[in-house]
Amino acid sequence: MNAYTCDGLPRYVLGIDTSCDDTGVGIVELISSELAPDGVRVRANCIWTQTVHAQYGGVMPELASREHVERIDGVMADALAEAGLQVSDIGAVAATSGPGLVGALLVGLMYGKGLAQALDVPFYAAHHLEGHIFAAASEDNLEAPYLALVVSGGHTHLFDVPEVGTYILVGATRDDAAGEAFDKIARLAGLGYPGGPAIAEAALRGDATAVPFKEPLQGQKAFEFSFSGLKTAALLAHKAGAKPDDLAASFQRAAVHVLVKTTRRAAEAYGRQTVVVSGGVAANTALREAFNQTNLRVVFPGKGLNTDNGAMIALAGAAALRAGRSPSPLEAGATAYAPLANG
Ligand code: KG4
Ligand code: ZN
């Protein structure tokens, strides 16, 4: 039987993310006691990362959907085993409804709705970016206000979060996402896929001053990002014979510099001392070190919560429950394009 906290909220929330090429199922536990009134703990975070796309150097949507269908049952069973729970213990279900690849999203969304209906528990359609933000914001039970930088393969978005659930868009990329630039430059330099971890590893061996990169949008008053110029500069340097390790180190330094600089300016302009940095690129050690050297309080997702995962969606579901949000209607559909800004 599903358990409840002393506030009458479901104790275990299951989250599903199938927005791209990772099949993720996570379970979080809501803890409410006098000692930890708003505690939440990740009990399971199981991910099947699809490797079928590596041969194409990018995600093939139809293959992603098919593999989600094949894997989701197994990932779900793994998550329950990791948490030491039965499916009947789950008291609420959340699943990503967008943004993402529609065919891929539909697999997790339909699975989540079916599960919630079978268990007769509330269902929450979750926003993928809100999940990324909660992956970090749940560390230390961080409370708004804060600034949130989401840096992933599909997004480079900066939001002001004055209160839970309100997202004001401060700036975004004009072209490629940061992770997309890591992936494309890694492919060009023959470093493998996904490119983020490959660039980070090669950068350890390279000279970050070997290839000069011009800072994108230098002197701007706004808080926008642009990575296509860095990509073109990398292509030209590669053609001119730059060593892959040097290219990786120099590009990483340029990307980290601009992400930290723009976020710092925005934090100052918006009067925020706390910044949440999340999404796949937040796993980058050089980025973390650079942010940690600022005078801001910077919060990153915990281990295994940077790249796409189900636990972050369970955390978003848990936050919706705590905020008293009504469950989503079962007809909630999957959307490829879904802006988060609502403020
Ligand atoms: O959040 P995520 O799993 O998927 C999206 O929602 O897009 O992010 C994946 C992105 C990929 O572009 C990947 O290359 C990048 O995150 N990434 C990294 C690192 N680990 C993953 N980028 C830089 N450094 C890393 N260590
Ligand atoms: Zn993501």
Side-chain angles (χ1 to χ4, degrees):
M1 283 316 281
N2 72 62
Y4 292 87
T5 66
C6 18
D7 306 333
L9 294 175
R11 183 173 291 282
Y12 301 110
V13 183
L14 184 135
I16 303 172
D17 185 84
T18 60
S19 59
C20 191
D21 58 346
D22 294 299
T23 314
V25 179
I27 299 171
V28 300
E29 178 178 1
L30 290 178
I31 307 150
S32 67
S33 68
E34 276 173 28
L35 283 176
D38 284 324
V40 58
R41 186 189 306 152
V42 175
R43 291 287 303 265
N45 187 23
C46 294
I47 303 167
W48 170 262
T49 298
Q50 304 177 355
T51 51
V52 59
H53 310 287
Q55 60 189 302
Y56 305 104
V59 179
M60 301 300 279
E62 176 58 21
L63 296 183
S65 311
R66 287 186 203 189
E67 204 159 322
H68 287 311
V69 171
E70 283 165 19
R71 295 287 171 179
I72 193 159
D73 266 332
V75 181
M76 161 89 177
D78 288 350
L80 288 169
E82 190 172 301
L85 297 173
Q86 306 291 323
V87 69
S88 53
D89 294 323
I90 301 303
V93 178
T96 308
S97 60
L101 302 169
V102 169
L105 284 166
L106 277 171
V107 179
L109 189 62
M110 294 305 146
Y111 195 95
K113 287 180 186 177
L115 184 64
Q117 219 171 4
L119 293 171
D120 196 20
V121 299
F123 171 76
Y124 288 90
H127 194 288
H128 185 75
L129 295 193
E130 194 170 28
H132 273 305
I133 293 171
F134 275 111
S138 297
E139 296 285 306
D140 306 330
N141 295 315
L142 182 69
E143 284 182 12
Y146 52 79
L147 215 61
L149 173 69
V150 184
V151 262
S152 69
H155 297 89
T156 303
H157 280 54
L158 196 49
F159 296 101
D160 184 39
V161 187
E163 57 189 13
V164 179
T166 301
Y167 302 96
I168 296 161
L169 186 65
V170 170
T173 183
R174 289 186 181 178
D175 38 63
D176 289 3
E180 192 180 351
F182 272 87
D183 292 336
K184 287 178 177 166
I185 292 173
R187 178 153 42 138
L188 151 93
L191 293 169
Y193 171 88
I199 294 252
E201 202 205 318
L204 296 173
R205 300 182 296 262
D207 173 2
T209 61
V211 181
F213 280 100
K214 196 166 159 284
E215 184 183 316
L217 307 178
Q218 199 167 16
Q220 66 161 328
K221 295 271 184 300
F223 306 101
E224 295 188 326
F225 301 95
S226 168
F227 291 95
S228 67
L230 295 181
K231 204 176 59 184
T232 309
L235 177 65
L236 295 176
H238 172 70
K239 283 188 175 159
K243 285 199 217 130
D245 291 352
D246 290 346
L247 194 55
S250 304
F251 160 69
Q252 180 176 267
R253 186 167 90 148
V256 165
H257 172 77
V258 76
L259 287 169
V260 175
K261 183 177 169 181
T262 306
T263 307
R264 272 175 79 166
R265 279 199 305 111
E268 204 168 301
Y270 281 75
R272 303 291 181 225
Q273 276 82 46
T274 305
V275 177
V276 158
V277 182
S278 60
V281 183
N284 187 277
T285 308
L287 182 71
R288 287 182 173 226
E289 284 172 0
F291 265 117
N292 285 334
Q293 276 164 20
T294 66
N295 55 5
L296 296 164
R297 176 183 176 207
V298 190
V299 184
F300 299 98
K303 203 167 179 298
L305 296 176
N306 291 290
T307 48
D308 291 349
N309 66 84
M312 71 185 200
I313 300 305
L315 289 166
L321 279 163
R322 278 202 199 287
R325 273 198 231 165
S326 307
S328 308
L330 286 180
E331 53 272 20
T335 36
Y337 175 72
L340 177 62
N342 56 11

